[in-house]
Amino acid sequence: MTQEAVLQVSNLTKVYGREIHLGSKKFGKKIVGAQNVSFSVSKGEIFGFLGSNGAGKTTVIRSILNYLRIEEGEISVFDLDHRKDSLEIRKRIGYIPGDFAVYENFTGNELIKYFNHFRQHDKEFLEELRTIFTVNLKQKTRTLSSGNRQQVGIILALASKPEFLILDEPSSGLDPLITAKFHKILKRLKKEGVTIFLSSHDLTEVQAICDRVGIIKNGEMILVEDIENLRKKSLQHVTVRFSSGKVPKLKEIKELDFVLEVKQKNNGNFELKIKENIDPLISWLKGYEIERLSIEDANLEEIFLHYYD
Amino acid sequence: MVHIFLKNLIKKWKAGVIVPLSLGLFVLLIAAIWPDMREAADIFAVILESPVYQAMLGDIGFINITLWPGAHQMYMNIMLEYYMIGVAIFIPTKIITEEINKKTLDVMLSYPIPRWRFLLEKFGVYLFYSLLIPLFLMLFTFLSTEYLQYNYAHLNVEFDYLVLTYSMIGIWMQFFSLGAIALFCSVLILDPRKALGVSAATIFGMYLLFRIGGMTESVEIVKYFSVFNYMTFGAIMSSGTFPVGDFFVLLGVGLAALVGALLIFQRRELKY
């Protein structure tokens, strides 16, 4: 990576629980939350962090924030040690936890004022956020809907215009209109050099705004890739209709190395899922007369499911 | 500088003021009924002569309720002990466990504030409002005594306010010490239910040690392991002196538990 890394995670390993061996008996249970997780996020980048429930996303995020003690590995944020320099790091970050909750007996405005004491808000940007988000900040947060409470969380995390945003499911509960506005803000912040670490279940969201994506499965980072490359390199949907003269048999297509899946439709079309390189397909198709051919990149959801299969 | 302290002080003022105020108002109530109550004191005296009652009530069993300070002491002993147990178990334990329960800790601690300071400022709110208890009690004791002196001059009601001040310092020191112990338990355990259970077991256990040690001479030693044994209201009112040794015991226990809680919370992982 040529650009300055804002977040650097190397060989992060986190184990929950303990096992005690007494003779042949074993007591307790060890659960691996994260194992040898390594990745980095560059300045001004939006990094999408994907994984199913319990895959280890929250473990990684809570480790970065020094809420959890890691067994092995190193984490640095702004080249500072996540543990020793935690206070310094927290001056420069904004965070929305996955299960966002704030003090229920405070109004949105009171929360903004309260948290301003700890991390100074960017007044101009805060006013802009007030106009963008529709939540009534005069209402106590306990009376707000979950979506509106989430808006309060977004305002709080963004208000100081931090250099690094850690967002865990930030758009959960938001309506599509607010989500679109929120994405627009994130893209603008990225242009201004803000680094964003976005953990999300919403693959469309990740696909729409992220530059790179990391996929975690069973506590292990199984992939870190540029979104565009990933789409190019990964699955592709091919629809082909052969001229009536020479049509390959379904079985023959299934046996091709580069074909992951094939279906024959009633209209005579073959729908193929192929992996990575398109060249072998093109070479193979040369032997046939083609009436119609379309090739599309798979969406992130399919790629994600492919890695999770 | 102390925004967490001030904000929580404001947000919790209703419960923080109303409870000490109501405890204080009861002193007025006792003062109002005491003149009639003292006429029936003989019946009480017969009951209190029973060794069973004396063992159960401890110091209270020897109180002369025909005198206003005695009736006042009876009320204070009974009400304060149970109130103190309840407050010291629930309020300091909930300082952190409520944040965990309501999932507000993660957002709060993502701001640049040391964990120990966050905890200390919130504990400061508990200390502030528990200080209101002795202050209100003193105020209402003064008002009650004035009322009795004015309306029942023939009873020659008197009250030693200096000794009352000593005993009020004792009450606050007990709140401090017990609260710090409960706080220590809560940051050690973190899990809201378990923490509450451990705090309750520790504080109520100490209360039982105090009571059992007071009942039987052969196991008297156990009461010295209880915070309730030091600077007790009754003992100070009876002796009329400030128990310097007891004060330092409570201060030492309270500080040790508080510093322990701050250190643990600063360093421990927040796994819940």
Side-chain angles (χ1 to χ4, degrees):
Chain A
M1 194 145 301
T2 50
Q3 272 189 303
E4 174 196 342
V6 168
L7 171 67
Q8 185 84 49
V9 177
S10 314
N11 302 315
L12 183 161
T13 298
K14 170 70 197 167
V15 178
Y16 295 103
R18 239 180 247 170
E19 267 178 17
I20 299 166
H21 296 268
L22 284 175
S24 59
K25 288 195 173 176
K26 192 173 79 178
F27 298 93
K29 197 179 177 188
K30 251 168 55 171
I31 298 166
V32 178
Q35 192 160 28
N36 284 320
V37 171
S38 298
F39 65 96
S40 64
V41 181
S42 306
K43 186 173 165 55
E45 179 183 32
I46 305 184
F47 185 89
F49 193 41
L50 297 174
S52 63
N53 291 334
K57 297 195 301 290
T58 305
T59 296
V60 171
I61 290 173
R62 288 176 62 80
S63 300
I64 294 168
L65 289 162
N66 191 33
Y67 295 161
L68 296 178
R69 298 273 175 266
I70 56 175
E71 266 70 38
E72 281 172 44
E74 281 174 20
I75 301 172
S76 66
V77 183
F78 307 117
D79 266 334
L80 299 166
D81 183 84
H82 81 123
R83 195 165 171 185
K84 277 192 286 183
D85 307 308
S86 169
L87 205 62
E88 187 55 40
I89 290 168
R90 281 184 279 151
K91 286 179 186 167
R92 299 162 68 182
I93 64 162
Y95 171 55
I96 304 177
D99 211 353
F100 175 76
V102 274
Y103 302 116
E104 290 177 339
N105 56 347
F106 282 57
T107 66
N109 280 329
E110 283 174 333
L111 284 168
I112 289 169
K113 203 175 157 192
Y114 180 54
F115 286 120
N116 182 50
H117 295 303
F118 311 116
R119 198 165 50 221
Q120 287 278 303
H121 299 326
D122 179 316
K123 282 179 188 162
E124 214 174 291
F125 188 51
L126 174 63
E127 285 317 306
E128 197 185 331
L129 291 172
R130 280 182 198 271
T131 57
I132 292 170
F133 291 99
T134 54
V135 59
N136 181 359
L137 294 168
K138 289 176 186 161
Q139 242 178 287
K140 295 224 186 230
T141 55
R142 70 163 165 264
T143 64
L144 296 173
S145 67
S146 63
N148 280 338
R149 252 202 308 271
Q150 193 71 11
Q151 288 188 45
V152 174
I154 292 171
I155 294 174
L156 290 175
L158 268 58
S160 59
K161 224 183 212 184
E163 292 168 63
F164 183 32
L165 279 166
I166 299 176
L167 311 175
D168 194 356
E169 303 288 343
S171 40
S172 87
L174 298 183
D175 67 51
L177 208 65
I178 297 292
T179 305
K181 286 179 183 175
F182 173 53
H183 288 171
K184 213 169 153 186
I185 298 170
L186 292 184
K187 283 179 185 170
R188 203 185 88 197
L189 287 173
K190 170 192 145 68
K191 275 186 193 160
E192 291 175 18
V194 174
T195 309
I196 300 164
F197 182 81
L198 174 79
S199 167
S200 179
H201 274 125
D202 185 349
L203 299 163
T204 325
E205 174 175 59
V206 173
Q207 189 166 335
I209 62 171
C210 293
D211 303 304
R212 281 194 311 142
V213 66
I215 297 178
I216 189 166
K217 182 182 177 183
N218 298 332
E220 289 180 54
M221 201 72 153
I222 53 172
L223 175 99
V224 178
E225 187 62 91
D226 184 285
I227 289 244
E228 277 312 304
N229 284 345
L230 186 66
R231 290 179 61 181
K232 279 178 195 156
K233 276 165 63 180
S234 296
L235 301 174
Q236 309 209 41
H237 289 287
V238 178
T239 307
V240 58
R241 185 186 294 167
F242 298 95
S243 299
S244 52
K246 188 185 173 189
V247 179
K249 293 224 164 57
L250 187 67
K251 194 184 162 197
E252 185 188 337
I253 302 174
K254 272 184 186 169
E255 282 169 0
L256 294 168
D257 285 348
F258 52 88
V259 174
L260 291 169
E261 205 179 298
V262 60
K263 282 180 199 158
Q264 189 169 14
K265 296 287 178 183
N266 292 337
N267 58 6
N269 285 1
F270 284 90
E271 285 184 1
L272 285 74
K273 257 188 206 174
I274 64 161
K275 58 184 177 186
E276 298 186 11
N277 198 349
I278 197 87
D279 292 345
L281 173 78
I282 302 295
S283 308
W284 176 73
L285 287 175
K286 277 179 187 166
Y288 298 93
E289 273 187 39
I290 308 296
E291 198 177 294
R292 191 167 170 263
L293 175 70
S294 75
I295 301 172
E296 281 173 27
D297 290 335
N299 61 30
L300 192 59
E301 189 172 347
E302 284 172 287
I303 297 165
F304 177 75
L305 290 173
H306 168 69
Y307 279 100
Y308 257 81
D309 272 346
Chain B
M1 276 299 281
V2 283
H3 303 295
I4 296 166
F5 172 75
L6 291 175
K7 197 72 192 175
N8 281 282
L9 202 64
I10 294 163
K11 284 283 170 191
K12 297 191 190 306
W13 79 267
K14 280 183 197 161
V17 172
I18 288 169
V19 176
L21 188 65
S22 57
L23 270 175
L25 284 169
F26 262 104
V27 179
L28 277 179
L29 183 72
I30 298 290
I33 61 167
W34 172 72
D36 292 331
M37 197 170 77
R38 63 186 290 279
E39 285 168 15
D42 291 344
I43 304 163
F44 281 110
V46 172
I47 297 169
L48 291 176
E49 272 171 20
S50 157
V52 177
Y53 277 109
Q54 287 190 354
M56 279 168 62
L57 297 171
D59 293 343
I60 312 171
F62 302 102
I63 293 170
N64 180 3
I65 59 166
T66 59
L67 299 174
W68 164 237
H72 177 271
Q73 192 180 332
M74 173 85 89
Y75 162 72
M76 295 291 244
N77 271 4
I78 294 171
M79 289 294 285
L80 271 176
E81 264 179 13
Y82 294 108
Y83 178 76
M84 194 178 279
I85 290 170
V87 167
I89 289 172
F90 285 97
I91 310 294
T93 306
K94 283 175 79 177
I95 286 175
I96 284 302
T97 58
E98 193 173 50
E99 298 256 0
I100 291 168
N101 232 353
K102 296 192 170 173
K103 297 169 180 169
T104 49
L105 198 58
D106 277 16
V107 172
M108 186 67 233
L109 294 182
S110 71
Y111 285 84
I113 176 146
R115 289 185 196 176
W116 66 264
R117 206 179 108 187
F118 170 69
L119 190 66
L120 186 60
E121 287 193 33
K122 288 199 82 175
F123 187 66
V125 178
Y126 159 80
L127 285 182
F128 179 86
Y129 283 123
S130 55
L131 183 61
L132 290 187
I133 296 166
L135 290 178
F136 275 127
L137 286 174
M138 281 189 74
L139 173 70
F140 284 103
T141 302
F142 174 75
L143 293 175
S144 302
T145 308
E146 287 294 305
Y147 160 80
L148 290 169
Q149 283 171 346
Y150 185 78
N151 290 291
Y152 300 91
H154 64 283
L155 295 176
N156 293 322
V157 171
E158 281 182 359
F159 213 103
D160 189 337
Y161 291 110
L162 181 66
V163 179
L164 182 68
T165 309
Y166 293 160
S167 60
M168 290 299 146
I169 293 170
I171 287 170
W172 192 66
M173 285 306 293
Q174 284 194 336
F175 270 113
F176 164 65
S177 196
L178 290 168
I181 290 168
L183 187 75
F184 180 82
C185 293
S186 72
V187 297
L188 198 66
I189 310 286
L190 282 190
D191 178 87
R193 279 185 183 181
K194 286 181 190 165
L196 194 61
V198 172
S199 294
T202 310
I203 288 174
F204 199 69
M206 283 202 290
Y207 179 70
L208 286 180
L209 288 181
F210 170 60
R211 278 278 160 244
I212 293 166
M215 266 191 242
T216 322
E217 264 184 41
S218 59
V219 288
E220 193 190 9
I221 191 166
V222 295
K223 75 177 184 186
Y224 297 107
F225 294 101
S226 169
V227 165
F228 290 95
N229 184 52
Y230 301 95
M231 290 195 92
T232 59
F233 184 82
I236 296 173
M237 291 303 287
S238 306
S239 70
T241 55
F242 186 81
V244 180
D246 283 14
F247 174 82
F248 281 107
V249 169
L250 290 181
L251 186 68
V253 170
L255 279 180
L258 180 60
V259 171
L262 297 177
L263 282 173
I264 289 171
F265 190 61
Q266 176 66 24
R267 303 179 69 86
R268 72 160 298 160
E269 83 171 345
L270 302 172
K271 196 165 56 179
Y272 36 81

